[in-house]
């Protein structure tokens, strides 16, 4: 809360605008501290508990839209990106896989960004065989191709499997850094321009 308060103060000063902070909590968290006693005033954030949202309903709505020949919109992709953090009957791994499969139906920049976010969530929350399953789902997307190509290059020098694993690790770090800094246009360009992707890897010192 102290960090959020500092961000708000700096942003409000720079922009000359009021700032409201919403904190998103994953499905495992049902309550959290939202106020901070700052002496003469009380700092507050607005919590959004994803446990109140059902990922199963998100997926059902996506399927209905696709069955009716409709295309997914910005709101739909936002729902897919957050679905793994919501409540529901599926495991987190299955939520991530299913969300990626729906996002793959689109060929827009938003669809690619959604897949990147989902892959980053997988890399954060999953390990071993579960993470490998998600990588296989991602493999047929442009982001997956970017990860694979980087792994192949590394594999030639270090041994195929070790190189592929290292390539996946490098691209996971790059995707996470670009998303954290909201460099979404750079992420999109990196999926299409191998030279630019390498420039970003060098920029962040990702070896």
């Amino acid at each position: 809360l102290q960090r959020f308060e500092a961000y708000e103060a700096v942003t409000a000063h720079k922009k000359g605008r009021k700032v409201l902070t919403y904190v998103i909590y994953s499905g495992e968290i049902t309550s959290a501290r939202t106020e901070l006693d700052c002496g003469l005033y009380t700092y507050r954030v607005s919590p959004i508990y994803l446990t109140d949202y059902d990922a199963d309903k998100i997926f059902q709505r996506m399927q209905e839209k696709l069955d009716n020949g409709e295309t997914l919109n910005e709101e739909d992709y936002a729902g897919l990106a957050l679905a793994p953090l919501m409540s529901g009957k599926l495991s987190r791994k299955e939520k991530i896989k299913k969300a990626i499969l729906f996002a793959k139906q689109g060929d827009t920049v938003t669809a690619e960004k959604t897949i990147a976010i989902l892959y980053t969530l997988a890399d954060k929350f999953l390990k071993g065989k579960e993470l490998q399953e998600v990588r296989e789902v991602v493999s047929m997307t442009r982001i997956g191709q970017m990860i694979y190509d980087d792994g192949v290059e590394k594999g030639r020098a270090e041994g195929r499997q070790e190189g592929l694993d290292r390539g996946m690790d490098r691209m996971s770090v790059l995707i996470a850094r670009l998303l954290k800094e909201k460099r979404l246009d750079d992420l999109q360009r990196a999926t299409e321009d191998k030279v630019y992707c390498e420039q970003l890897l060098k920029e962040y010192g990702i070896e």
Side-chain angles (χ1 to χ4, degrees):
L1 289 177
Q2 289 178 325
R3 178 162 51 89
F4 292 156
E5 183 203 14
Y7 290 160
E8 279 196 23
V10 172
T11 303
H13 178 71
K14 288 184 176 180
K15 303 295 183 180
R17 305 284 295 274
K18 293 181 179 179
V19 179
L20 301 176
T21 297
Y22 292 83
V23 182
I24 298 175
Y25 296 95
S26 65
E28 290 84 0
I29 300 175
T30 57
S31 64
R33 184 182 175 192
T34 60
E35 296 185 354
L36 179 67
D37 185 356
C38 298
L40 293 177
Y41 69 96
T42 299
Y43 172 70
R44 296 181 178 87
V45 297
S46 297
I48 298 177
Y49 299 109
L50 292 183
T51 188
D52 296 333
Y53 297 85
D54 190 341
D56 298 332
K57 293 182 178 179
I58 295 289
F59 296 141
Q60 181 180 353
R61 186 170 72 250
M62 298 302 106
Q63 190 61 59
E64 290 173 352
K65 292 192 71 169
L66 293 176
D67 289 344
N68 292 330
E70 301 177 46
T71 57
L72 304 185
N73 56 34
E74 298 280 333
E75 184 178 350
D76 294 327
Y77 285 116
L80 289 174
L82 293 175
L85 302 177
M86 298 178 184
S87 60
K89 296 179 181 179
L90 298 175
S91 66
R92 177 163 285 161
K93 178 197 71 175
E94 291 302 325
K95 290 174 188 172
I96 293 175
K97 287 174 59 178
K98 199 160 188 174
I100 290 174
L101 290 173
F102 278 117
K104 284 171 62 176
Q105 303 301 311
D107 57 0
T108 64
V109 172
T110 303
E112 291 291 338
K113 292 175 181 176
T114 301
I115 293 171
I117 292 172
L118 291 165
Y119 183 77
T120 302
L121 288 175
D123 195 58
K124 176 179 177 61
F125 290 109
L126 305 181
K127 302 296 180 184
K129 292 182 179 179
E130 288 190 332
L131 180 58
Q132 184 58 39
E133 285 186 41
V134 173
R135 285 174 171 171
E136 291 172 0
V137 176
V138 173
S139 65
M140 297 306 293
T141 67
R142 280 192 294 177
I143 288 175
Q145 191 62 48
M146 178 177 71
I147 293 171
Y148 177 78
D149 289 344
D150 187 70
V152 168
E153 290 296 323
K154 291 297 175 185
R156 289 176 181 149
E158 303 174 17
R160 187 170 181 81
Q161 188 57 52
E162 292 80 1
L164 285 171
D165 290 341
R166 185 178 172 192
M168 289 178 177
D169 290 340
R170 292 174 81 226
M171 300 316 299
S172 296
V173 172
L174 177 61
I175 290 170
R177 292 289 293 276
L178 292 174
L179 287 173
K180 182 178 181 181
E181 297 181 11
K182 299 181 180 179
R183 298 178 62 176
L184 302 182
D185 291 337
D186 288 328
L187 175 58
Q188 175 65 21
R189 181 179 172 187
T191 66
E192 303 169 341
D193 187 336
K194 185 176 180 180
V195 174
Y196 186 64
C197 180
E198 286 298 326
Q199 290 177 357
L200 290 173
L201 288 166
K202 291 179 181 179
E203 176 184 333
Y204 285 109
I206 302 173
E207 300 295 339

